[in-house]
Amino acid sequence: MSALDANVIPLVPTLTPREHQTQLRRAVIASTIGTAIEWYDFFLYSTVTGLVFAKLFFPHSDPWVGTLEAFAIYAVGFVARPVGAAIFGHFGDRIGRKSTLIATLLLMGLATFAVALVPTYESIGLWGAVLLTVLRFIQGVGVGGEWGGSVLMSMEWARTNNSRGLVASWPQFGVPCGLFLANLAVLAFSQMSGEQFLSWGWRVPFALSIVLVGVGLYIRLGIMETPVFAKLLAERKVERAPMLAVIKEHPKEILLSAFARMAEQAPFYIFTAFVFSYGIGTLHVSRNFLLTAVLTASVVSFVSIPVFGHISDRIGRKNMYLIGAVVTGIFG
């Protein structure tokens, strides 16, 4: 029986300022580490797509056609992300942020581990590509629920609006962490396996994701539900159909946010995914050089993300976002 159906109204836990600060710190750490693991899984796929998937799963296609086919599977993850956001956004508002974030971590981690086991075209023909497509869709559903949920978890523990930008930036800090780990893992096993990278070396980083999932679960199980959701339960204000309510009440904000994010998302995936196909196929740059370059760029984000999150607390979210969009355009 859910809290909404109970005869006794649940109480919002009363925390001292020190206890609240402790829970805030735990929530931020859990969100950041969990997000880093999720994005490691997501970016690992994007890195390997540009390096090996066209050769292993579409070997009889023209090299460029094979690359496009490999990236078509990659694109499935982006189709699935709003599906995941809708599903886990709904349950996050119904049963809580913590439970849904544990579910997204498991979903993403198990799908990524399964990629390591997918047979190539030589073994089962096009069914290998079909399996990759299904697993990529599951990955997209997982990360669609993970990213927004982890940011929300951190934001809802922030006590005031004066630090909310910095607090909410830490889950985003997990994005370059995941990118760093994914490129580091591929680079390491590229060096170790050498010419055998296409044979087995690319599979090992995917298999290692199961270890990271265990770490993430251990951390996330130790956090409390956010005070905002606990208050909604106590006041019986949980929506029965949260997604419908949001679409009905805030359609303009949804569309504006979606189109605004295109300014960062499109260039980002060109810089971190397509760069491998273009760099190796057209520029004839070495695989390891490109992996090192993307890895280095991710390190820069370790500093820039919390810094810009802090600045947004001073100049406002809109101004900070506009500056970022303009600079990205100039850079491109």
Side-chain angles (χ1 to χ4, degrees):
M1 182 169 61
S2 70
L4 293 177
D5 299 323
N7 292 325
V8 179
I9 297 177
L11 297 176
V12 179
T14 303
L15 301 176
T16 65
R18 184 174 181 179
E19 290 172 334
H20 187 102
Q21 190 65 28
T22 299
Q23 288 300 319
L24 169 61
R25 185 165 57 250
R26 287 180 181 175
V28 169
I29 292 172
S31 296
T32 304
I33 293 177
T35 304
I37 294 169
E38 294 264 17
W39 285 105
Y40 166 84
D41 293 343
F42 200 76
F43 289 141
L44 186 59
Y45 194 104
S46 67
T47 301
V48 175
T49 294
L51 293 175
V52 303
F53 281 173
K55 300 173 184 176
L56 294 180
F57 294 95
F58 305 100
H60 299 305
S61 298
D62 175 85
W64 283 111
V65 174
T67 299
L68 289 174
E69 289 170 332
F71 274 107
I73 296 177
Y74 176 59
V76 168
F78 295 92
V79 175
R81 282 176 66 174
V83 176
I87 293 171
F88 289 107
H90 171 84
F91 286 107
D93 284 336
R94 292 289 297 163
I95 65 175
R97 323 314 190 199
K98 176 180 174 179
S99 299
T100 52
L101 285 177
I102 289 172
T104 60
L105 184 65
L106 284 172
L107 193 67
M108 173 66 96
L110 294 176
T112 303
F113 177 77
V115 171
L117 309 177
V118 175
T120 62
Y121 184 91
E122 285 187 1
S123 301
I124 59 172
L126 285 176
W127 283 107
V130 172
L131 288 174
L132 275 183
T133 302
V134 172
L135 292 173
R136 184 59 177 171
F137 186 86
I138 295 172
Q139 276 193 323
V141 170
V143 83
E146 161 68 25
W147 186 83
S150 61
V151 173
L152 184 65
M153 170 74 79
S154 296
M155 284 182 61
E156 289 188 348
W157 275 105
R159 295 183 69 90
T160 68
N161 201 46
N162 295 332
S163 62
R164 194 157 284 142
L166 177 60
V167 169
S169 73
W170 284 106
Q172 185 69 9
F173 180 87
V175 176
C177 284
L179 182 62
F180 177 87
L181 290 173
N183 280 271
L184 182 63
V186 174
L187 180 62
F189 285 97
S190 173
Q191 297 277 16
M192 290 173 60
S193 57
E195 294 182 357
Q196 296 299 309
F197 183 73
L198 283 175
S199 176
W200 61 267
W202 69 271
R203 296 182 183 273
V204 181
F206 285 96
L208 288 176
S209 67
I210 201 71
V211 177
L212 297 178
V213 169
V215 174
L217 280 176
Y218 175 77
I219 293 171
R220 285 195 168 173
L221 287 170
I223 60 175
M224 291 176 59
E225 188 55 82
T226 69
V228 172
F229 184 74
K231 184 179 179 182
L232 289 174
L233 280 179
E235 297 176 355
R236 298 181 182 271
K237 290 184 177 180
V238 174
E239 288 278 352
R240 291 192 177 276
M243 284 299 300
L244 292 177
V246 170
I247 292 172
K248 182 179 178 180
E249 296 174 17
H250 305 286
K252 179 182 176 182
E253 287 80 0
I254 294 173
L255 289 174
L256 287 176
S257 298
F259 284 115
R261 291 215 66 199
M262 286 177 64
E264 60 174 276
Q265 292 287 285
F268 178 82
Y269 287 101
I270 292 173
F271 301 157
T272 60
F274 181 69
V275 67
F276 294 107
S277 294
Y278 180 73
I280 294 172
T282 302
L283 302 181
H284 306 294
V285 178
S286 74
R287 177 178 68 211
N288 289 349
F289 174 80
L290 289 171
L291 287 167
T292 304
V294 175
L295 189 148
T296 303
S298 66
V299 173
V300 175
S301 295
F302 291 173
V303 178
S304 64
I305 286 177
V307 166
F308 292 136
H310 175 69
I311 293 174
S312 77
D313 287 324
R314 300 293 177 266
I315 68 173
R317 323 297 179 206
K318 180 179 178 180
N319 290 335
M320 188 71 259
Y321 205 93
L322 287 172
I323 291 170
V326 170
V327 172
T328 301
I330 293 172
F331 177 78

